[in-house]
Amino acid sequence: MIKLKQHDFLTRKLFHSIHKQQINTQSGFLRMKNLLNYKNLQLNKDYFKEKICADLGCGSTGAGALNLLELGCKFVHLMDLNKHIKKPINMNLINFKDRFKIHVGSLEKIPFKNDSLDFALCQNAIHHMDKHEKSFYEIYRILKKNGKALISVQGEGGLVTKFVYEILVPEYKRNIAVRKFLTKIINQDTQKYDIFFKKYLDFEALRIYNILKKLLDQDLILTIKDRLLSPKYLCFNERKLTIFLKKIGFKKIYRIKKKVYFSNIRKLLSPLYHHYDHEISRALYGDGDISLICSK
């Protein structure tokens, strides 16, 4: 087992808790395991045949690896910071038990040989790192010549992004009233709030309130918990990131569009994830969820 830095320990502890809840409720897990397909990856339908792949920063669900296996890859290596990922991943990938291996390691020093992988998947892990730059070099190092990586990180800009990371999260950390209010929401301890609104809202407003509450499902609550409690959420500029990846040696870099299916109030926003370049998307999310395919 690797010795974890305090930042990494806190990050992994938080996301193990979130991922276990996703597995237990299927909240978010089914959405994550179906994000990638040949169409949005812009790859031939037999691309993954005989390919050796990796899911780096795989989390405790192994959803990305499951996605790759269902696309037909030959074998997938999964890696994250702590051995507590093994039990839930073995459960989720039970139908592919001879086609994957779990590793404990860090993106700062990936435990694979040079030029050993055909495809590396790294989704929504790098933006949580204390020191992130080395991870990009490590991903490049372990890829074979002409191998590909899909790297997903949080983009910067946009009204929603600025509100979450520049207002909501700082206020949660320093304002006791805000922290108390949001803690009750993420713990689904809102009975007192329900009583308040039932007492003071008129019939029409109360009907809207009840509809909105039903749309605040476990998946959305876990997402809120993710944003509020994560020790770090680095936001990237797409243009600057692309330039940096090219300097490392990556080529043929292009961004993919992912259709994200929600069962909560985010249904209203799901088209913006796919059409990230629309003016509404740019206004609300800026660079959005940046997912880049890069070739070595």
Side-chain angles (χ1 to χ4, degrees):
M1 179 185 295
I2 62 173
K3 185 177 180 179
L4 296 182
K5 297 181 290 186
Q6 181 70 1
H7 172 88
D8 295 336
F9 172 80
L10 293 173
T11 302
R12 185 85 285 277
K13 182 179 179 181
L14 169 66
F15 284 99
H16 184 58
S17 170
I18 291 174
H19 294 162
K20 284 198 301 181
Q21 290 178 74
Q22 287 179 332
I23 295 169
N24 290 337
T25 63
Q26 293 294 292
S27 170
F29 173 65
L30 294 176
R31 168 168 54 82
M32 291 298 296
K33 87 174 190 68
N34 294 313
L35 277 180
L36 306 179
N37 54 65
Y38 282 108
K39 184 177 180 180
N40 66 17
L41 290 170
Q42 300 176 43
L43 298 172
N44 295 328
K45 288 190 175 181
D46 60 349
Y47 174 81
F48 284 105
K49 186 178 180 181
E50 300 302 316
K51 293 289 193 296
I52 306 298
C53 304
D55 183 4
L56 307 172
C58 61
S60 303
T61 67
L66 181 56
N67 203 169
L68 292 173
L69 287 163
E70 290 181 341
L71 286 173
C73 77
K74 180 178 181 180
F75 196 89
V76 60
H77 296 274
L78 299 93
M79 187 205 76
D80 216 310
L81 289 164
N82 195 292
K83 67 178 182 180
H84 61 210
I85 66 173
K86 292 183 178 181
K87 184 176 179 180
I89 288 175
N90 278 319
M91 178 182 70
N92 285 337
L93 273 61
I94 191 169
N95 292 331
F96 300 95
K97 61 182 180 179
D98 297 323
R99 291 172 55 191
F100 71 91
K101 183 177 180 180
I102 302 169
H103 307 260
V104 176
S106 169
L107 283 163
E108 293 182 18
K109 191 176 181 180
I110 301 173
F112 303 146
K113 295 180 180 179
N114 295 352
D115 311 305
S116 58
L117 296 173
D118 298 296
F119 189 92
L121 180 65
C122 187
Q123 296 186 109
N124 304 317
I126 292 175
H127 54 224
H128 293 300
M129 294 179 64
D130 190 29
K131 297 179 180 179
H132 65 277
E133 286 195 356
K134 193 171 182 181
S135 61
F136 295 108
Y137 287 95
E138 281 290 279
I139 292 171
Y140 183 84
R141 176 184 66 79
I142 63 176
L143 286 176
K144 297 177 183 178
K145 184 179 180 181
N146 297 318
K148 298 181 185 298
L150 171 56
I151 300 172
S152 296
V153 294
Q154 174 68 54
E156 68 177 16
L159 294 173
V160 173
T161 307
K162 284 184 174 291
F163 172 74
V164 171
Y165 299 113
E166 296 181 22
I167 298 176
L168 188 65
V169 173
E171 281 297 302
Y172 176 82
K173 291 179 179 179
R174 65 178 174 235
N175 187 314
I176 294 174
V178 172
R179 185 162 61 251
K180 182 179 179 180
F181 169 68
L182 292 173
T183 299
K184 283 184 176 294
I185 289 177
I186 62 178
N187 290 331
Q188 295 180 284
D189 179 22
T190 60
Q191 186 176 1
K192 288 184 179 180
Y193 300 156
D194 294 340
I195 294 171
F196 174 84
F197 285 118
K198 285 178 181 178
K199 183 176 180 179
Y200 294 109
L201 290 178
D202 63 27
F203 175 80
E204 187 62 26
L206 185 60
R207 189 173 69 85
I208 295 170
Y209 172 78
N210 288 329
I211 291 171
L212 291 175
K213 189 175 179 183
K214 286 181 180 179
L215 291 172
L216 185 69
D217 68 354
Q218 185 72 3
D219 185 24
L220 183 53
I221 288 170
L222 291 175
T223 299
I224 295 170
K225 186 176 180 180
D226 167 333
R227 301 302 192 267
L228 289 176
L229 302 183
S230 177
K232 185 172 184 177
Y233 243 107
L234 180 65
C235 295
F236 287 81
N237 176 282
E238 181 183 356
R239 184 182 66 83
K240 291 180 180 179
L241 176 59
T242 301
I243 292 171
F244 175 71
L245 292 172
K246 287 180 179 178
K247 286 182 179 179
I248 292 175
F250 283 110
K251 58 188 180 182
K252 298 179 183 177
I253 300 171
Y254 62 91
R255 183 167 176 171
I256 68 167
K257 294 185 174 184
K258 295 186 286 190
K259 287 189 176 180
V260 186
Y261 298 97
F262 296 107
S263 59
N264 50 51
I265 197 170
R266 286 189 290 175
K267 282 183 176 182
L268 297 172
L269 300 174
S270 60
L272 305 182
Y273 288 81
H274 183 63
H275 301 285
Y276 64 82
D277 47 357
H278 192 278
E279 62 182 84
I280 302 175
S281 307
R282 292 297 189 188
L284 293 179
Y285 291 105
D287 279 343
D289 177 16
I290 304 170
S291 294
L292 301 176
I293 295 281
C294 318
S295 298
K296 182 171 180 178

